[in-house]
């Protein structure tokens, strides 16, 4: 039996046991040894290192003097991942303009993206209406290994503030990252393990920011330096603190507010204190109570480079403490908080294999110990303990006459144990083992891509005597044609399958932080989807365009339904299965309007739409409405002026016992100044969001009726890179 022990700085340890880990981890760790033992295959000593499965990471283009100037999003063995998976890339000034404490908030204005918006301290990305178990969150290609998929109140253990770039992957090819990526994947690229040898004695990146809507104070910094003899080191850290968020108008939506006031009148004679509390909850305005956050992180890594091979490791710590807005209507509302900590270790080995059939062996391993404690007042109530490993290795084919590809394997294990008052989930284990492959084949003027994945998943709850086993196959086929030198038309077809998670199978109990009663179904089977896409991507003249239409037909789709029951003052949400149809479209247009040596004017347009229905005619829960986004940006020398309008339509096509949301429009503006002429090493940004202080509620949020989006906000930030 394999035991891996991750020694923590405080002296505690994590031990993860499972015999199935042997073959996967043995191969992955063996590649580390190969990286040191194959100088004959490594090429010249001063050659730039291969970037392996994260070629996109090394080719990122933040605005500084340390990185290359080209953004390329690839997977091992594919020169263009975006043929099978449409991609969006957030980096540089755009990333600085969008930065926030949670990943969902950072990406919300990207095409096809919404967010769960449970609270300012907990918000996951929602891609094409999919969230939770259907969106894979990655750090440099390896899963976040946390419990953010368990419930909406759980924050994502990823710190966006030291991200170098964030890739959003959609479409069938993301199945290469796991069955949890049916809806898409978000890959946060950072430098926790150095991705190349710095060509300067020391490189420093830093970010300082603050805002008015939550009295936010933020500082983040990273240091990269060569150590000599092929070694490089990286250290980063960040600190982020906010107060309660300011909101426009009332916290509680109008229909629910009216119910609270009516209820207060009805109990006035018998329980005046409760009546007063109900009125206070109904009339709360201007500030969202108990929405403050405090987060810090620190990460360090080292890597060794020899020719085209490299090996590296990192260790990081993430700590956040955030408030959970209270569901109105309780007779004795008590503020709840969540404390989340994660220790994480990562290993990477990218090995050059020479000029044979395979050119590289690329491997990654992530280890995590995660603790999520839910506080009732000042007392700890329930603690979620998660220990996990995710390991991935790929053999990359050498390109031959335009034919390329890769084969690989992936192993994931996660053990969860819950302590405290709420035993809503029994102790459980998830083990997944997968093999996958992809090929890119030139066919004259056409490009053909094939991808396949076989995955075995074992889910067990020993205390219940339950063990489930699932075997699934997923595949995708893509064909594209280059109409002009810059414009590509194509079609994808896919069949994907996902095993139910331990939460979907076994959860049964009242969840204090989400203030809901959640009930699983141990008889759930794997869900499958058959679908496809039509797309056009590239350039038409000076304009950059991306248009995609998609359709998926689900069999045994797993969803969480509000049953209308109430237990312990909380609504009952039950996991169910049924056939469903998902379809929609998303588009993006970047159009330069005027360009000269001294002045540039460009426009950006984005649109997203998704519709999801069950076979019984009802709507799938928590689906975003049609959304539109437009921006106009003027560049004058070292200054950029930008105006934005983001509009979300009303969402009336809601599920049973789900409230509709009204339309809203946010108007934003920003000024960016690069004070050092000739480079972008210093960027000063001043922005105003939601200028007209409009009330917005997310259709994708479980707490939409009492957690509106923030009000008017003025934010200033400065980013340094030297």
């Amino acid at each position: 039996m394999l035991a891996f022990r991750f020694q923590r700085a405080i002296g505690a340890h994590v031990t993860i046991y499972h015999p199935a880990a042997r073959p996967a981890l043995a191969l992955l760790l063996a590649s580390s040894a190969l990286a040191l033992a194959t100088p004959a295959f490594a090429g010249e000593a001063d050659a730039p290192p291969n970037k392996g499965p994260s070629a996109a990471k090394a080719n990122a283009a933040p605005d500084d003097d340390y990185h290359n100037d080209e953004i390329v999003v690839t997977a091992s063995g594919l020169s263009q991942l975006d043929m099978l998976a449409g991609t969006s890339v957030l980096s540089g000034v755009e990333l600085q303009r969008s930065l926030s404490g949670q990943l969902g908030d950072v990406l919300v204005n990207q095409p096809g993206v919404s967010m769960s918006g449970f609270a300012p301290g907990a918000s996951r990305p929602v891609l094409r209406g999919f969230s939770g178990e259907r969106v894979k969150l990655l750090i440099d290609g390896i899963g976040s290994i946390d419990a953010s998929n368990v419930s909406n109140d759980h924050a994502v253990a990823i710190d966006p503030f030291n991200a170098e770039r964030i890739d959003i992957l959609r479409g069938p090819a993301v199945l290469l990252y796991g069955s949890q990526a049916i809806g898409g994947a978000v890959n946060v690229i950072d430098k926790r393990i150095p991705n190349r040898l710095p060509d300067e004695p020391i490189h420093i990146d830093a970010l300082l920011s603050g805002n008015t809507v939550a009295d936010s104070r933020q500082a983040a910094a990273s240091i990269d330096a060569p150590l000599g003899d092929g070694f490089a080191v990286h250290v980063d850290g960040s600190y982020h603190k906010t107060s309660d968020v300011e909101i426009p108008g009332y916290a509680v939506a109008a229909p629910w507010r009216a119910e609270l006031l009516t209820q207060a009148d009805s109990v006035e004679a018998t329980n005046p204190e409760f009546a007063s509390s109900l009125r206070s909850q109904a009339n709360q305005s201007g500030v969202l109570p108990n929405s403050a956050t405090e987060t810090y992180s620190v990460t360090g890594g080292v890597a060794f480079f020899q020719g085209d091979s490299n090996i590296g490791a990192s260790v990081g710590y993430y700590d956040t403490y955030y408030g959970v807005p209270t569901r109105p209507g309780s007779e004795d509302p008590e503020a709840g908080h969540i404390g989340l900590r994660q220790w994480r270790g990562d290993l990477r080995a990218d090995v050059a294999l020479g000029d044979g059939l395979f050119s590289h062996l690329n491997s990654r391993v992530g280890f995590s110990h995660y603790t999520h404690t839910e506080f009732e007042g000042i007392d700890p109530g329930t603690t979620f303990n998660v220990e996990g490993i995710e390991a991935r290795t790929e053999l990359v084919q050498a390109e031959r006459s335009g034919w390329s590809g890769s084969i690989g394997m992936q192993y994931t294990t996660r053990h969860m144990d819950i302590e405290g008052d709420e035993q809503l989930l029994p102790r459980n284990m998830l083990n997944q083992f997968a093999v996958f492959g992809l090929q890119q084949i030139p066919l004259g003027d056409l490009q053909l891509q094939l991808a396949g994945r076989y995955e075995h998943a074992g889910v067990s709850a020993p205390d219940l005597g339950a063990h489930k086993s699932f075997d699934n196959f997923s595949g995708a086929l893509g064909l594209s044609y280059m109409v002009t030198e810059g414009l590509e038309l194509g079609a994808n077809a896919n069949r994907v399958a996902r095993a139910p998670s331990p939460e979907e199978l076994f959860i049964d109990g009242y969840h204090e932080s989400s203030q809901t009663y959640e009930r699983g179904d141990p008889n759930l089977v794997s869900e499958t989807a058959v679908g496809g896409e039509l797309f056009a991507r590239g350039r038409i003249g000076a304009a950059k365009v991306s248009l995609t239409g998609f359709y998926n037909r689900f069999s045994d789709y797993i969803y969480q339904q509000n049953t209308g029951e109430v237990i312990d003052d909380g609504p009952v949400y039950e996991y169910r299965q049924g056939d469903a149809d998902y379809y929609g479209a998303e588009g993006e247009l970047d159009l330069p309007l005027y360009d000269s040596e001294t002045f540039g004017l460009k426009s950006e347009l984005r649109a997203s739409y998704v519709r999801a229905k069950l076979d019984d005619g009802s709507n799938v829960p928590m689906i975003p409405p049609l959304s539109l986004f437009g921006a106009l940006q003027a560049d004058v020398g070292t200054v950029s002026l930008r105006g934005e309008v983001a509009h979300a339509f009303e969402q009336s096509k809601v599920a049973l016992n789900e409230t509709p949301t009204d339309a809203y429009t946010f108007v934003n503006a920003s000024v960016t100044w690069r004070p050092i002429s000739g480079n972008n090493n210093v960027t000063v940004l001043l922005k105003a969001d939601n200028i007209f202080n409009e009330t917005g509620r997310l259709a994708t949020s479980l707490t939409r009726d009492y957690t509106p989006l923030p009000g008017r906000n003025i934010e200033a930030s400065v980013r340094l890179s030297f």
Side-chain angles (χ1 to χ4, degrees):
M1 181 173 289
L2 176 70
F4 177 81
R5 175 167 293 182
F6 175 41
Q7 189 68 36
R8 302 194 301 175
I10 60 174
H13 67 270
V14 180
T15 307
I16 300 174
Y17 298 95
H18 199 274
R22 286 178 186 158
L25 290 178
L27 178 57
L28 287 155
L29 296 175
S31 67
S32 300
L34 279 171
L36 296 173
T38 55
F41 300 136
E44 297 299 324
D46 58 352
N50 175 67
K51 310 309 183 295
S54 298
K57 171 179 62 180
N59 290 334
D63 298 328
D64 63 41
D65 58 353
Y66 177 55
H67 305 91
N68 299 315
D69 295 326
E70 180 185 5
I71 295 176
V72 180
V73 181
T74 68
S76 296
L78 282 187
S79 63
Q80 280 191 311
L81 177 63
D82 60 355
M83 176 180 158
L84 276 177
T87 63
S88 295
V89 178
L90 204 61
S91 64
V93 173
E94 187 179 7
L95 179 57
Q96 180 181 355
R97 188 187 303 118
S98 305
L99 272 177
S100 185
Q102 279 288 292
L103 204 53
D105 298 86
V106 176
L107 304 176
V108 68
N109 283 326
Q110 298 301 305
V113 183
S114 184
M115 62 178 178
S116 62
F118 180 88
S123 187
R124 283 176 61 96
V126 176
L127 307 185
R128 291 182 174 175
F130 296 109
S131 61
E133 289 292 336
R134 297 183 186 88
V135 173
K136 185 79 169 179
L137 303 183
L138 308 165
I139 299 176
D140 288 352
I142 290 292
S144 57
I145 320 179
D146 55 22
S148 62
N149 61 314
V150 173
S151 184
N152 283 279
D153 63 298
H154 292 208
V156 179
I158 295 177
D159 186 357
F161 287 101
N162 274 307
E164 187 176 41
R165 194 182 80 248
I166 300 175
D167 293 343
I168 306 165
L169 309 176
R170 314 172 192 82
V174 293
L175 64 89
L176 299 176
Y177 293 99
S179 60
Q180 293 86 359
I182 284 179
V186 174
N187 193 17
V188 178
I189 309 297
D190 59 21
K191 299 176 289 183
R192 60 181 56 210
I193 302 177
N195 52 56
R196 71 178 181 92
L197 280 172
D199 55 7
E200 52 191 311
I202 189 169
H203 183 85
I204 298 174
D205 290 302
L207 175 74
L208 295 171
S209 70
N211 72 29
T212 60
V213 77
D215 191 24
S216 171
R217 290 136 283 170
Q218 162 67 34
S222 67
I223 299 174
D224 295 271
L227 298 180
D229 298 324
F231 285 92
V233 65
H234 170 85
V235 178
D236 68 52
S238 75
Y239 178 76
H240 181 217
K241 183 177 177 63
T242 70
S243 303
D244 287 346
V245 174
E246 295 178 1
I247 56 174
Y250 294 108
V252 181
W256 198 348
R257 183 169 177 268
E259 290 180 15
L260 292 172
L261 293 173
T262 300
Q263 185 183 0
D265 292 340
S266 69
V267 301
E268 178 67 48
T270 57
N271 194 341
E273 289 186 4
F274 184 31
S276 176
S277 175
L278 289 172
R279 291 191 181 96
S280 177
Q281 294 173 53
N283 293 322
Q284 176 64 47
S285 65
V287 173
L288 183 63
N290 202 39
S291 57
T293 68
E294 184 172 17
T295 304
Y296 67 90
S297 68
V298 61
T299 305
V302 64
F304 172 73
F305 299 90
Q306 186 171 30
D308 284 347
S309 298
N310 66 83
I311 178 174
S314 70
V315 62
Y317 177 70
Y318 178 85
D319 189 304
T320 184
Y321 183 76
Y322 58 95
V324 177
T326 303
R327 182 181 179 85
S330 172
E331 185 168 352
D332 185 24
E334 186 175 28
H337 293 81
I338 290 176
L340 185 160
R341 297 177 178 179
Q342 184 191 51
W343 285 94
R344 178 183 172 110
D346 286 270
L347 300 174
R348 183 189 72 214
D350 297 344
V351 185
L353 300 178
D355 298 325
L357 175 62
F358 295 102
S359 61
H360 293 89
L361 173 64
N362 302 321
S363 301
R364 288 294 311 272
V365 187
F367 313 87
S368 170
H369 177 74
Y370 167 100
T371 301
H372 168 110
T373 302
E374 300 183 352
F375 293 86
E376 301 171 15
I378 61 173
D379 300 319
T382 302
T383 299
F384 294 75
N385 296 306
V386 175
E387 298 176 353
I389 296 176
E390 184 169 321
R392 179 183 178 89
T393 191
E394 293 174 86
L395 277 168
V396 182
Q397 294 169 211
E399 185 172 339
R400 298 284 190 274
S401 302
W403 187 315
S404 60
S406 71
I407 57 173
M409 57 189 292
Q410 184 172 336
Y411 176 78
T412 303
T413 181
R414 191 200 74 178
H415 178 267
M416 178 183 290
D417 192 9
I418 298 179
E419 302 173 353
D421 299 335
E422 303 169 15
Q423 293 295 327
L424 68 163
L425 255 178
R427 180 168 56 97
N428 61 81
M429 260 193 112
L430 169 67
N431 292 286
Q432 294 174 326
F433 179 77
V435 292
F436 56 85
L438 61 158
Q439 294 292 309
Q440 179 171 282
I441 305 168
L443 299 174
D445 293 333
L446 300 174
Q447 283 284 338
L448 173 67
Q449 288 187 349
L450 304 170
R453 182 184 184 91
Y454 164 76
E455 186 169 281
H456 172 80
V459 182
S460 61
D463 297 340
L464 299 180
H467 179 78
K468 296 278 189 175
S469 182
F470 304 91
D471 293 280
N472 291 313
F473 175 79
S474 300
L477 179 151
L479 194 65
S480 70
Y481 175 71
M482 194 67 70
V483 180
T484 65
E485 184 176 345
L487 180 64
E488 184 180 38
L489 302 179
N492 297 323
N494 66 91
R495 190 266 187 192
V496 293
R498 179 184 73 87
S501 70
E503 299 76 47
E504 293 167 332
L505 291 166
F506 303 127
I507 197 167
D508 190 1
Y510 182 76
H511 193 170
E512 185 70 36
S513 288
S514 67
Q515 300 154 84
T516 59
Y517 191 99
E518 300 177 44
R519 184 183 294 146
D521 181 355
N523 297 312
L524 296 176
V525 298
S526 292
E527 68 177 18
T528 59
V530 176
E533 296 180 337
L534 296 174
F535 65 83
R537 301 182 190 126
R539 292 188 176 276
I540 301 176
K544 178 183 176 183
V545 298
S546 177
L547 298 172
T548 304
F550 58 89
Y551 171 80
N552 285 288
R553 171 64 177 175
F554 279 88
S555 298
D556 299 312
Y557 177 80
I558 301 172
Y559 62 99
Q560 204 174 28
Q561 178 71 61
N562 184 338
T563 66
E565 302 174 71
V566 176
I567 297 179
D568 294 334
D569 292 330
V572 176
Y573 282 82
E574 186 174 86
Y575 282 104
R576 298 178 178 178
Q577 278 193 304
D579 296 343
D581 290 292
Y582 262 83
Y583 57 90
E586 59 203 22
E588 186 172 11
L589 172 65
D590 293 353
L591 178 63
L593 302 175
Y594 182 81
D595 192 13
S596 71
E597 292 184 2
T598 58
F599 179 75
L601 184 66
K602 68 175 183 178
S603 63
E604 299 173 17
L605 297 173
R606 301 169 193 164
S608 304
Y609 174 74
V610 63
R611 183 79 172 93
K613 296 173 59 178
L614 296 164
D615 264 11
D616 63 6
S618 62
N619 298 306
V620 172
M622 294 195 291
I623 297 298
L626 171 65
S627 64
L628 303 176
F629 176 91
L632 189 65
Q633 180 170 315
D635 300 311
V636 185
T638 60
V639 175
S640 296
L641 305 175
R642 181 180 177 89
E644 300 175 347
V645 178
H647 179 77
F649 287 78
E650 68 174 2
Q651 180 55 290
S652 58
K653 297 178 175 65
V654 295
L656 183 68
N657 301 313
E658 190 175 77
T659 55
T661 55
D662 294 332
Y664 62 88
T665 302
F666 287 173
V667 177
N668 314 316
S670 65
V671 179
T672 304
W673 177 43
R674 299 173 177 86
I676 303 177
S677 179
N679 68 56
N680 299 324
N681 290 12
V682 178
T683 304
V684 180
L685 191 147
L686 179 66
K687 69 172 184 174
D689 292 331
N690 193 7
I691 293 172
F692 297 106
N693 207 33
E694 290 289 311
T695 295
R697 300 184 187 273
L698 294 167
T700 49
S701 173
L702 185 69
T703 60
R704 74 189 79 174
D705 291 319
Y706 56 97
T707 306
L709 292 168
R712 183 184 298 111
N713 178 41
I714 306 299
E715 180 171 319
S717 66
V718 58
R719 186 167 58 86
L720 311 173
S721 183
F722 52 88

